[in-house]
Amino acid sequence: MKRDKDNQTLTRVEMEIMNRLWAMDEPSVSVRQLLAEYPDPKPAYTTLGTYMKILTQKGFVKPEKREDDGKTFFFRPLITQDEYRKRVVKDVKNTLFGGSLRSLVNFFAKEEKIPDDEIRDLLSLIKD
């Protein structure tokens, strides 16, 4: 079965990698640069490299070579963090809440036990 790249989701580890990649100020980064962003104990270089290949296959990053950097691949995100958030929330709304925004918001309002002042802030935000 062919996988639709627009419907791909990230695993927890992939999400952690993408969050680090999105947070960096560079348009593309090497595995070594990304590895430097991790606290100790850092994952193995080869492990992170394997995840970058997976993220490439899933269509989240694109490997690039730079003329002045020899064999090193640099990875550029193909989707922004905001675009991914929208995709995931839309998917959750459609698959878990039958496409109902009301059901989704009701679930979070009840489960998160949102304080009254935050509810007022949310209502004010919606009205604007």
Side-chain angles (χ1 to χ4, degrees):
M1 178 165 72
K2 185 179 177 188
R3 299 175 97 176
D4 181 3
K5 287 187 177 186
D6 287 341
N7 289 327
Q8 291 286 328
T9 55
L10 297 167
T11 65
R12 183 186 57 77
V13 174
E14 294 165 352
M15 187 75 231
E16 182 180 335
I17 293 168
M18 288 302 296
N19 280 332
R20 290 181 192 285
L21 193 57
W22 286 320
M24 295 179 78
D25 289 332
E26 302 291 327
S28 61
V29 299
S30 68
V31 172
R32 202 163 303 288
Q33 288 172 303
L34 191 55
L35 195 58
E37 297 298 311
Y38 278 82
D40 288 327
K42 296 179 185 301
Y45 178 91
T46 54
T47 300
L48 194 52
T50 298
Y51 274 107
M52 296 313 289
K53 286 180 186 176
I54 292 168
L55 289 168
T56 298
Q57 292 168 347
K58 285 185 161 187
F60 286 99
V61 298
K62 179 180 180 182
E64 303 172 331
K65 286 221 176 204
R66 296 182 185 163
E67 289 182 23
D68 58 338
D69 283 303
K71 297 179 185 179
T72 303
F73 277 100
F74 292 81
F75 295 88
R76 178 175 53 87
L78 294 176
I79 185 171
T80 66
Q81 190 174 31
D82 194 47
E83 289 168 336
Y84 185 71
R85 283 181 187 147
K86 288 176 186 175
R87 179 193 296 181
V88 170
V89 171
K90 181 178 180 181
D91 186 51
V92 166
K93 180 186 77 162
N94 290 336
T95 58
L96 297 178
F97 297 96
S100 169
L101 181 60
R102 173 183 231 141
S103 295
L104 173 73
V105 172
N106 185 47
F107 172 82
F108 281 108
K110 287 182 178 177
E111 289 299 313
E112 295 297 318
K113 297 176 179 53
I114 302 172
D116 289 343
D117 61 324
E118 284 188 35
I119 290 174
R120 282 190 294 279
D121 290 345
L122 288 169
L123 288 172
S124 175
L125 181 65
I126 292 169
K127 289 178 184 177
D128 289 343

